[in-house]
Each structure stands twice: as C-alpha cells, then as structure tokens.
Amino acid sequence: MGRFIGFGWFVLVIAVVFVAAQKKLPRNIRIQCLGNVMRVDVGPLGGKILEVAAVMNNATIFLTPSMASQCGFSMTVCQFGNARIYASLQNCFVQSEDDTAFTTTLKLHLHGNRMGEDEVYQVSETCLYTTWASREIVCERNYMEVSMKRAAPDDYVLPKHPAKGANSRFGDPRRDAEKHPEAGSRMNTLIITTPAPRLLLRSPKTSPETYTQIVAGVPMTVVKTSTLFEKKWLATEIDAAAACPILEGSVFFTSNSISWFLPRHIDPLISSGQFQLLEVHIGVDGQKLDAAEMAARQYSLTVNDKHIIVEIPIGAVGGYFKSHIQDGQYLTSYTIEPMIEMLWTEDSTHGDTHYKVLLPITTPLLSRPPQVIDNTIPEERVFKVLFGPFSSDVALMNITFPSEVLSEADCKARGINVLEQMYPESSSKVLTVEVPFTDQVVLQMREMGITVYTLHITLGLVVLPEFAPFTHTAYLEAKLVENVPPSISGACDNQNFYILVKYGTHGFNFQTTVGKQILTPRLAQQYSFTENGTHFSFAVPFSSLDVVFESVQLSSIRSRLDVVLKNPETSKTIQEFSMSCNNISPLTECFPNGTMTAWAVKLESVPSLNPSQLTLKDPTCGPVFSDDHYAYFVFTANSCGTTRKFLPNVMLYENEISLPDELERKKTDSKNEEPEFELKVSCYYDINKTHAVAFHARPRRSEPYAENAKGELQVEIRLASDNSYSAFYRVEDYPVAKYLLQSLYFEVELMRSTNSKLSVELENCWATLDVDRTSQPRWNLIINGCANPVDPYQLILHPVWPDDRVQYPSHFKRFEVSMFAFSEDKETLSRQVHVHCDVVICDARNPQGGICTGLCSNQENKIKGQRRAIPDKDSVKHVSSGPIHLS
Ligand SMILES: *[C@@H]1O[C@H](CO)[C@@H](O)[C@H](O)[C@H]1NC(C)=O
Ligand SMILES: *[C@@H]1O[C@H](CO)[C@@H](O)[C@H](O)[C@H]1NC(C)=O
Ligand SMILES: *[C@@H]1O[C@H](CO)[C@@H](O)[C@H](O)[C@H]1NC(C)=O
Ligand SMILES: *[C@@H]1O[C@H](CO)[C@@H](O)[C@H](O)[C@H]1NC(C)=O
Ligand SMILES: *[C@@H]1O[C@H](CO)[C@@H](O)[C@H](O)[C@H]1NC(C)=O
C-alpha cells in the first residue's frame, strides 16, 4: 500500500456514484494517434482509482506525476470521471522504429472499491508519424517538449557536464526511473539523446529552469538550453528552446465566449530575421479540425500580424459544463481543451518549426439559471413543464409537491412522467415533467365555466459527483374553458324575429340554417346580419318564407322560426332552436261601407296548400294578392257568395275561403275527409258600428283543433224538440218558449269531423239570464264533467247511438234539464235563460286525462283534493244556446 502513497497525483480518488457505472460495462479503451501525440481514453472510472504504468522490455514503470511531466505523459479526469491520458510519441518509454513508427505500451490498473472489482488492462498502440519538421514543439498541460533534427553526427557523445545555459542535467531518465523513481523530482529539465536522429528537450512547466516572458502581450513560460556535443577535439553547441502560453493573460472571457490569444511570432523560438507562417490549425482535445467542422462548432480563428486568436462560444461542442452550487444557486463552468498548431519556416539553417499547444480552459462560474418552460396545452389535460437546461452532471432525486414528496419511481407509478432529454453536444439535459390534471397534486378551481388548474412543483436535484443538493421550483396555472357549444336565443316584436347566436368555445365550427335555408352571405345581408366576435345576430321578418305559421287565432297568427346549427362536415346537429311568437294583426276587417277583407295564411300543417288557389264561396273570387304564405281577399257584403243572417240587433255576413275542388267534394260526398283548408269569414254589422268578430281556420291537423268562437261553426249546441233528438229548433225559432219544469233536450255536436278518434266531452255547462256567458246570476248544470250534485232537478245525460244522422256517436253529447227560471225576487221570475257549455274535444290517440277519460271525476278529485288536468286551451270550445223563454 505504501507504494501508492508516493503516486498521489495519479491516484485519483473519485467518489462518483453513477447509476450507469454500477452496471458492469466492458471497458472500451480507445487509443488515437494525433500527430506527434497519442491519446488514450480510459472512460469513466466509476469511483475506482487509476494507476498508470509504462511497460518497456517487460518492465513496468509506474508513472508518478513528476515522472509523467518529465517523460511526456499527461492525464486528466474530466466530466463524469472520464480519464484521458496523453502521451508524447517521444515519451521516455516509446519504442520507435525508423523514427516513423512509435509503440507505447501502458498498463492501466483500476483499483476496485465497494462498487466493483479491480480491473487491469494492458494497452499498446503503434503510431506512425513521418512528417517530422526540423523542430517540433509541444506544449502540454504539465510539460513542454522540443524535438530537433540532430545537426551533429551520430557518434557525437553527450558532454560530461552541463554546458552553458540552463541548469541542465544529462542522463537517461528511463534508467533512473527504473532504479529510483523518486529521483524524478530532482531531474527537472531533460535533454535526452536517443539513438534516434533527434535531440529532445522536455521540461515540466513548473521546473525552476523555466521563466516567464511576455511575448506580444501574452505571458509565456520559456525554457532554453544550450548543449555542447563533443567528438574527440571537435565540439558542437546546440541551442534548444520551448515557449508555451500561460493561461492567465492569454485567455479572456465574455459572458458567452472564450478568446485565446497566441503570439504569431513567438520571439524566444525564432532567432533568424526570416519568419514565414505557413499554416495555422485549431483543434480540440488534441484533434485537429477542418474548416467545416470549425464552422459547425462555431469556433473561429483569426490571424493578424501580432496574434492568432481563437474564439469559442461558451457551450460549443467539444467542451462540457460542470455544475456548482453556491448559496443554493445553480452555477456552471465550461471547460474545453482547444489546440493550436502552427507551422512556420525560417532560413535554411533553422528549417521549419511545428508548434503545437494544448490549453485546457475553464471559464469562471457562470450564472445561467435553468428555465421553467410551461408547455402545457390545457386541452390535453396534462401539465407539461420543462426544466433546464442543466449540465449533464445534475441528477434528479425527488419531486416535492405541497402535499407530498415523490421519488422518480413513485412518480412513474402514479402516472407522472419524468423525461430526461440529453443534449450530448452541449453536455446538457432538460427534464420534462408531465402531471395529469387528474392527479391529486393538481388543484382545481371552477368558476363560470372555466376550470383553473394549479400545480406547485419543486424538483430536488443534486450535482454529481459531490452530491450537492439544490432545488428548482415552478408554479403553473392552466385554464380550461369547458367545451361550450354555441347557443341561440331570440326575441320578437310585431315585425321580426331577432336571433342572437353566441359562439361556443373554440372548435365548434358550424353552419347555420334559418327555416329551410342555409344562412349564406347573401341571406345574411338580407337579414341584417351583424357580428362582433363573440356573437352574431340577425332579424327575420314575419313575412319571410323562412317563417312558418303554426296556427291562427282571432286576431293573431302564431308564427315560428327554426334555427339549426350543424357541423358542416358531419351534418350533425349541434344546436336546435325554435321560437314561436304571436303576431297581433287583424286577419279580417269589416269596413262600414260593406267591404270585407281577409288574410288566409298557409299553416305549417298544410304544407301542400297553394294559397293562390284559394277562393271565396264563389270560386271566381280569388285572392287579390297571394304568395307562398298568404292569400289576401277583398270582397263586399253582397258579392262572392257572401250570405247574411239576421240576428237580434245585428246582421251577420259570412263567407268561406277554401279550395274550390274541396267545395265540390263536400257537396257531392258527405263522407269526405276533413277539408284541407277552410276558413270562415264573418262580419257582424249593427246599425251604428261595424266590426269583425270572427275568423276561423280549420286546416287539416293531427290534433283536435277548435277556435274560441261561435259554437255553430265547429261545435254546436242545439235544442231538440223531444227526447228522440231527431228534430231541432232552428236559429229562426229562437227564442223558444218552454214551460217551467218542462224538459229541455240539448245536443252538442262536433261538426263536420270524420275523425272517429275524436270525441266531445262536456266540461262545464251552466245557465245564465243574460246572453253573456260570463254574466251573473249563473246556475251550474255540469261541473267538471259531473252533474251539479246540489241541483234538486238533476241533469240527465243520454247515451247516443248511431243512426241516419249520427255517424260517430263520440262526436255527440246529449243531456236533459228541466226548464227553470231565475227569480229576480220572490214574486217575479225572469222570463229567459241561456245555456252555455265548455266543450272539450278529446283525441283518443292523444289522451289528455281529466275530462277526456269520459268519467265524472268531480267527486273523486274533491275528495283527494287534487287539481284536475287542464285540457289544452285549443281544444276547449265554448257553445251557447239561443235564448229560451219561459211561457
Ligand atoms: C518478456 O517476457 C517474456 C515472457 O515473460 C519473454 O519471453 C520475453 O523474452 C521478455 N522480453 C524481454 C525483452 O525481456
Ligand atoms: C429530495 O431531494 C433533495 C435533493 O435535492 C434532498 O435534499 C431532500 O432531502 C430530498 N427530500 C426527500 C424527502 O427525500
Ligand atoms: C357582442 O354582442 C353581444 C350581444 O349584443 C354582447 O353581449 C357582447 O358583449 C358583445 N361582445 C363584444 C366583444 O362586444
Ligand atoms: C271601403 O272603405 C275602405 C276603407 O276605408 C276602402 O279602402 C275601400 O276602398 C272602400 N270600398 C269602397 C267600395 O268604397
Ligand atoms: C245607433 O244610433 C242610433 C241613432 O243614430 C241610436 O239611437 C242607437 O242607440 C245607436 N245604437 C247603438 C247600439 O249604439
């Protein structure tokens, strides 16, 4: 063990613990011949101790640092503990053949530690070098060497004592080394003669024989010797000199580059007046680079009349970063070993000089804080964050979240991805961490359709090999708008539908259909389309063909506009919107001069109707105006088949709008289907005033349809003369006279319907004194389908059977009440009654419950306290009988 103590310089104690080094990789030792030097890459030491010995003539000579510098060896351990040995082709232990082939044999002993076993390798390489210049100068990290073509004849011998000049010592260090390795420390500058035809001077840079000289502003270490060779009485003196740049004073740093200045004319090496620079090359790690490689690595070389200047960007290929932690701060240094080779020539005596200098350069500590780059795409629902760049000597230990600390393995098990991307050219790496939004370490906050995800993440890192810990923290936030489809809203006034479409979240591309048409730019213009980035709106007039009419009421039309948003690619509906509005407009007008006007509108349920074909009762009376939506009729009370009826105080004019052929069929065939279109126009005229009071449309519909109107038009109430219900009082028979308690036989009929599924049900029937159905006093006959239980003379419902007149019994209801009178006081009875009913038209295909079940549900509902189902307004119809007088 004691033997190694003296080899401290070479005994490298490297406590690197690399995961990779724990695996037993076959060692890949590479040897390269680089001109007049040889490079041995030993590879990562993995915490082992490397001992290098030279092998010559079966003898093993351990290389101590001082012997290495005297014998032409240098060694470095760079990034990750990679060991590298440089050997001069003229090292002390080389075996040369014809001064062109140089064989060096080394024994590498890697002493095992806890991490592994001992490894011993013997490597040997023969390098060919034929292009010897008259003088070859090599500046290595620990020595300088000059080799000169021997001017003196071979049989000259070395002088016995030092010649003038430097404190030289003569001898063969190989022999000395074999005998007393320690003696090297005393042998500083060596002049060595070998059988080879060259004279060699080698000096450790630190030897006392060296001195510093400023050459063109650049400090250089210089050594000079003068050697006297004797042969008998002849003596020849040979001068040898080497000069190598000193790092400090020749290398300058900026924040992003390194500049190395080398004198172009190295004065201590040039003695003649003639100097001509022939070649300049640069290289790295002893390897010469060509112009293309230099350009690719962004190295630059400038030669001016004073200097050769090499500029290398910090981080360029060829060097490496090393991390340092200072006060928790992450700092880096950059190391590179550039080389300059020059070839110059002097006069014929001096010949040419090949000058090579390898200069390891390390920058001062640089503050290049690693960045956090948030590459999260919220829609992917994963936080993606990049940390770096870090130098490749940084290793991730753990990841800290506010709630927990996870190792890399924990992360993997949890679905948190940690990716390490290496950039070998710049010896750096980037760490990417991917945390799904669903992981418990991600916090969520929802607000108005936007979810905000937050992540607080701290990487626990160490710098190898010293295990210096440091951390890097990121705080991330991602907002995700929940995918909202476009939405539609609308409004209307008396002229237009106003549609407002709110764009959904990004990604909803859609096509808008208005009514039956696609909203093209032309149509958009027609509908006053406007847009503001978040919404668009347009207005569709009621008269537009894109509007459909659902139904008509006395003085209004119920119109509907449909807007559909579709995916143009898939034609899938994204959003549907329908809006119905009542457009108040008198459909029938009656003027005092006897002119009547009527609008017939085409309802959605009668799509095939062509309004222009509609006529009044007189088929020659067509519309004065029509389009696909409307027909407009103007006629007078005494034309176009208008009928008139005299009623008390008023005159009733009536006409009908229908299709002429419908009219024909109705005449010839009573079993006809419901007419496709029929519109009754009625005008009441009294002496002083004129007003339109009725308007009826009865298009074919799937639902029972009735208008709040005079009963005789669709549902009629009649008074039969007896219980056979075969004869009825006519309009002109009113008022009908009856005795008190005489039976009154009423019949209610759903007129003109051939739909056997329909039925009429009596919801409420009552009697009033006045013609006004809402007037008081009032006496209830039927309440919610049931006979008034408190009436002492209860109403009797009579079943209806088919006969000549009755085709569909369900279209009829018959009931019997006893004639009665309202008494104004004890003495005087009122002379007249009117009977009114609320009639519900029920559709067996579409039961509405309640009264349509045909059962009297009054008692039951009262007991249960429930509300009965309210029938659809449209299917409730009011009928009133004419006045019945008490005789
Ligand atoms: C080196 O050793 C080998 C065997 O160990 C022997 O054969 C060889 O002759 C030796 N060479 C020299 C130069 O001593
Ligand atoms: C996480 O790693 C860092 C190294 O940067 C270390 O200092 C710390 O103790 C580790 N934390 C845990 C809980 O292991
Ligand atoms: C666009 O118009 C809509 C409706 O008028 C309005 O609510 C919205 O604020 C407008 N947006 C912009 C960006 O002006
Ligand atoms: C009847 O009166 C209306 C409204 O005043 C008018 O438009 C129409 O021309 C008149 N008709 C006749 C026949 O005078
Ligand atoms: C109609 O006018 C006459 C006089 O012109 C008047 O006596 C009568 O009361 C009016 N009728 C109505 C219903 O206003």
Side-chain angles (χ1 to χ4, degrees):
M1 190 62 202
R3 197 159 59 104
F4 298 121
I5 293 165
F7 303 163
W9 183 81
F10 256 74
V11 176
L12 296 157
V13 181
I14 296 167
V16 180
V17 181
F18 285 107
V19 177
Q22 287 173 350
K23 293 180 209 153
K24 269 199 180 164
L25 296 171
R27 190 163 289 274
N28 180 19
I29 298 169
R30 289 175 60 232
I31 304 178
Q32 272 178 289
C33 299
L34 305 166
N36 53 8
V37 298
M38 181 180 103
R39 195 178 85 197
V40 182
D41 289 298
V42 182
L45 296 181
K48 294 185 178 177
I49 297 161
L50 175 64
E51 203 176 49
V52 182
V55 179
M56 199 171 75
N57 302 332
N58 283 359
T60 301
I61 304 106
F62 286 96
L63 295 173
T64 62
S66 62
M67 183 177 291
S69 62
Q70 288 170 61
C71 284
F73 291 92
S74 84
M75 179 168 157
T76 60
V77 176
C78 66
Q79 195 199 16
F80 286 135
N82 280 308
R84 178 177 284 173
I85 301 158
Y86 285 99
S88 165
L89 287 198
Q90 289 179 290
N91 68 70
C92 304
F93 311 105
V94 81
Q95 300 203 290
S96 78
E97 224 174 89
D98 300 336
D99 210 20
T100 55
F102 301 86
T103 304
T104 305
T105 304
L106 295 176
K107 192 175 249 179
L108 309 174
H109 196 148
L110 285 102
H111 291 277
N113 53 12
R114 276 170 305 159
M115 303 290 173
E117 293 148 22
D118 277 17
E119 294 174 56
V120 181
Y121 303 93
Q122 182 161 319
V123 294
S124 185
E125 182 70 23
T126 303
C127 291
L128 298 177
Y129 189 63
T130 51
T131 57
W132 291 103
S134 309
R135 181 166 56 161
E136 298 261 335
I137 297 169
V138 174
C139 295
E140 255 283 13
R141 59 184 64 219
N142 52 335
Y143 66 86
M144 21 203 227
E145 181 185 277
V146 56
S147 156
M148 295 161 75
K149 212 173 241 169
R150 205 151 157 182
D154 274 359
D155 49 356
Y156 271 62
V157 296
L158 282 169
K160 292 203 174 62
H161 41 260
K164 68 172 180 184
N167 179 19
S168 303
R169 187 198 150 108
F170 306 94
D172 187 340
R174 285 172 288 180
R175 270 198 310 275
D176 284 346
E178 278 165 52
K179 286 181 210 148
H180 335 271
E182 297 83 1
S185 58
R186 279 185 279 115
M187 301 191 301
N188 293 316
T189 303
L190 301 166
I191 294 185
I192 301 149
T193 60
T194 62
R198 297 186 75 85
L199 174 74
L200 184 73
L201 163 75
R202 187 182 295 116
S203 168
K205 277 185 177 169
T206 50
S207 100
E209 291 79 33
T210 63
Y211 59 96
T212 301
Q213 184 178 338
I214 307 293
V215 183
V218 176
M220 299 192 88
T221 304
V222 181
V223 64
K224 277 189 174 175
T225 60
S226 199
T227 309
L228 191 69
F229 290 88
E230 292 168 349
K231 191 185 179 186
K232 307 243 167 106
W233 48 84
L234 282 171
T236 308
E237 193 177 301
I238 297 176
D239 293 330
C244 291
I246 295 171
L247 184 84
E248 202 157 306
S250 62
V251 176
F252 302 93
F253 303 101
T254 68
S255 62
N256 47 28
S257 75
I258 299 166
S259 305
W260 173 19
F261 288 77
L262 184 71
R264 172 195 164 104
H265 186 276
I266 305 170
D267 303 342
L269 303 180
I270 297 158
S271 45
S272 74
Q274 287 167 295
F275 167 83
Q276 200 189 345
L277 185 60
L278 300 176
E279 286 176 28
V280 180
H281 300 283
I282 64 174
V284 74
D285 295 331
Q287 180 99 52
K288 207 150 77 171
L289 296 177
D290 63 26
E293 261 175 312
M294 268 174 56
R297 296 171 176 217
Q298 294 181 292
Y299 298 175
S300 90
L301 171 70
T302 314
V303 181
N304 62 27
D305 52 357
K306 276 216 161 81
H307 295 110
I308 290 162
I309 306 149
V310 173
E311 265 187 281
I312 297 172
I314 290 175
V317 177
Y320 61 89
F321 282 106
K322 166 93 191 82
S323 304
H324 307 264
I325 304 303
Q326 264 183 12
D327 304 328
Q329 243 201 310
Y330 180 78
L331 302 169
T332 52
S333 60
Y334 175 73
T335 299
I336 189 162
E337 189 170 3
M339 175 183 84
I340 298 179
E341 276 191 61
M342 286 155 81
L343 184 68
W344 72 77
T345 182
E346 289 176 67
D347 55 25
S348 55
T349 349
H350 293 91
D352 50 356
T353 300
H354 178 222
Y355 181 85
K356 179 188 257 187
V357 48
L358 288 90
L359 189 70
I361 300 170
T362 295
T363 65
L365 293 188
L366 309 161
S367 175
R368 297 198 163 183
Q371 305 292 306
V372 171
I373 299 169
D374 184 358
N375 278 347
T376 307
I377 297 166
E379 285 68 29
E380 293 177 354
R381 298 176 172 274
V382 175
F383 275 111
K384 275 191 195 165
V385 56
L386 255 68
F387 295 88
F390 297 106
S391 167
S392 50
D393 56 359
V394 167
L396 177 68
M397 300 307 284
N398 56 42
I399 300 180
T400 303
F401 299 103
S403 53
E404 58 196 313
V405 180
L406 301 179
S407 69
E408 220 177 313
D410 296 338
C411 286
K412 201 171 172 191
R414 271 271 278 276
I416 297 174
N417 282 338
V418 180
L419 311 166
E420 193 175 285
Q421 187 153 10
M422 298 292 300
Y423 296 94
E425 324 79 59
S426 58
S427 72
S428 62
K429 67 165 103 178
V430 166
L431 293 167
T432 303
V433 182
E434 298 181 348
V435 184
F437 285 0
T438 49
D439 197 280
Q440 67 199 59
V441 298
V442 176
L443 300 180
Q444 293 188 18
M445 234 174 56
R446 206 152 299 178
E447 208 172 72
M448 290 167 50
I450 295 173
T451 309
V452 181
Y453 298 89
T454 52
L455 178 66
H456 202 127
I457 178 171
T458 300
L459 301 189
L461 302 152
V462 291
V463 173
L464 298 173
E466 55 269 39
F467 280 89
F470 70 106
T471 60
H472 203 58
T473 294
Y475 183 81
L476 304 162
E477 201 178 271
K479 282 184 184 160
L480 192 60
V481 179
E482 302 304 338
N483 230 358
V484 180
S487 59
I488 314 172
S489 57
C492 48
D493 61 14
N494 218 18
Q495 265 101 44
N496 296 302
F497 284 99
Y498 298 95
I499 302 297
L500 180 67
V501 178
K502 184 176 184 236
Y503 291 117
T505 44
H506 190 71
F508 277 100
N509 179 22
F510 58 84
Q511 182 181 66
T512 308
T513 304
V514 182
K516 294 172 204 72
Q517 300 188 75
I518 289 170
L519 188 68
T520 57
R522 198 186 55 77
L523 191 64
Q525 196 181 12
Q526 192 182 324
Y527 288 157
S528 324
F529 180 94
T530 59
E531 191 190 29
N532 73 357
T534 59
H535 295 71
F536 69 80
S537 63
F538 54 90
V540 180
F542 282 115
S543 60
S544 159
L545 291 180
D546 291 322
V547 173
V548 293
F549 299 118
E550 283 188 310
S551 64
V552 287
Q553 264 106 42
L554 255 179
S555 59
S556 69
I557 307 173
R558 190 164 178 80
S559 312
R560 196 185 74 235
L561 180 66
D562 299 327
V563 179
V564 179
L565 308 182
K566 276 186 183 171
N567 180 328
E569 274 113 48
T570 63
S571 289
K572 256 172 103 174
T573 297
I574 299 168
Q575 204 67 262
E576 262 178 324
F577 177 80
S578 284
M579 179 168 194
S580 297
C581 287
N582 280 322
N583 178 24
I584 311 294
S585 69
L587 298 176
T588 297
E589 283 188 287
C590 304
F591 296 100
N593 61 11
T595 299
M596 297 165 74
T597 63
W599 287 98
V601 301
K602 175 177 169 178
L603 294 183
E604 188 190 15
S605 51
V606 203
S608 60
L609 180 75
N610 179 352
S612 70
Q613 290 172 350
L614 291 169
T615 66
L616 289 161
K617 264 184 183 162
D618 178 347
T620 61
C621 291
V624 297
F625 162 80
S626 68
D627 65 10
D628 193 46
H629 255 87
Y630 302 97
Y632 182 60
F633 294 87
V634 180
F635 57 101
T636 57
N638 57 3
S639 69
C640 295
T642 308
T643 61
R644 63 178 182 170
K645 273 184 195 163
F646 295 97
L647 294 175
N649 311 323
V650 292
M651 181 85 85
L652 174 63
Y653 289 91
E654 288 179 310
N655 207 320
E656 243 173 53
I657 298 169
S658 62
L659 291 170
D661 48 345
E662 292 273 348
L663 212 64
E664 284 308 302
R665 269 194 284 151
K666 216 164 73 184
K667 276 180 195 159
T668 56
D669 182 6
S670 62
K671 289 181 189 172
N672 204 344
E673 288 283 306
E674 286 178 70
E676 187 172 34
F677 188 88
E678 191 182 66
L679 179 78
K680 198 133 193 168
V681 184
S682 311
C683 281
Y684 286 101
Y685 289 89
D686 70 12
I687 302 159
N688 303 337
K689 282 195 238 163
T690 311
H691 51 197
V693 291
F695 172 83
H696 310 285
R698 196 174 61 151
R700 186 165 57 208
R701 290 170 63 110
S702 59
E703 292 160 41
Y705 178 79
E707 280 303 321
N708 288 341
K710 277 280 183 183
E712 69 262 21
L713 298 173
Q714 279 184 24
V715 179
E716 271 190 6
I717 186 164
R718 308 184 198 92
L719 185 60
S721 45
D722 56 42
N723 64 357
S724 70
Y725 287 96
S726 50
F728 297 90
Y729 294 98
R730 291 165 301 169
V731 174
E732 46 277 28
D733 296 333
Y734 286 92
V736 174
K738 294 283 175 183
Y739 303 109
L740 208 56
L741 291 182
Q742 191 181 358
S743 285
L744 303 176
Y745 301 98
F746 288 97
E747 182 184 82
V748 174
E749 184 192 351
L750 171 63
M751 305 294 286
R752 293 195 196 116
S753 175
T754 55
N755 187 338
S756 62
K757 302 285 184 199
L758 298 184
S759 67
V760 291
E761 301 294 340
L762 302 175
E763 188 180 30
N764 297 297
C765 291
W766 67 98
T768 59
L769 185 60
D770 198 56
V771 68
D772 179 359
R773 60 204 303 277
T774 62
S775 64
Q776 294 292 341
R778 153 185 177 137
W779 179 250
N780 285 330
L781 303 169
I782 295 177
I783 305 167
N784 290 341
C786 305
N788 183 355
V790 301
D791 191 339
Y793 302 98
Q794 267 209 6
L795 171 146
I796 302 155
L797 278 166
H798 292 291
V800 184
W801 306 107
D803 59 25
D804 290 351
R805 205 172 61 79
V806 178
Q807 199 182 348
Y808 305 103
S810 67
H811 292 186
F812 293 81
K813 273 286 172 304
R814 290 170 184 171
F815 62 92
E816 179 188 337
V817 290
S818 298
M819 181 60 191
F820 65 99
F822 289 94
S823 52
E824 279 160 9
D825 52 53
K826 279 194 182 118
E827 254 81 273
T828 40
L829 288 176
S830 170
R831 304 257 113 201
Q832 186 172 298
V833 290
H834 295 260
V835 172
H836 315 273
C837 286
D838 290 336
V839 181
V840 177
I841 301 166
C842 298
D843 188 340
R845 294 163 302 186
N846 181 21
Q848 297 188 4
I851 204 84
C852 287
T853 57
L855 299 169
C856 161
S857 53
N858 189 29
Q859 305 298 335
E860 190 191 344
N861 284 341
K862 258 188 193 163
I863 291 158
K864 288 189 183 165
Q866 292 166 338
R867 283 185 61 123
R868 49 180 292 277
I870 297 160
D872 183 347
K873 203 171 111 237
D874 275 355
S875 62
V876 180
K877 185 170 155 46
H878 311 295
V879 289
S880 300
S881 74
I884 301 155
H885 267 228
L886 188 64
S887 309

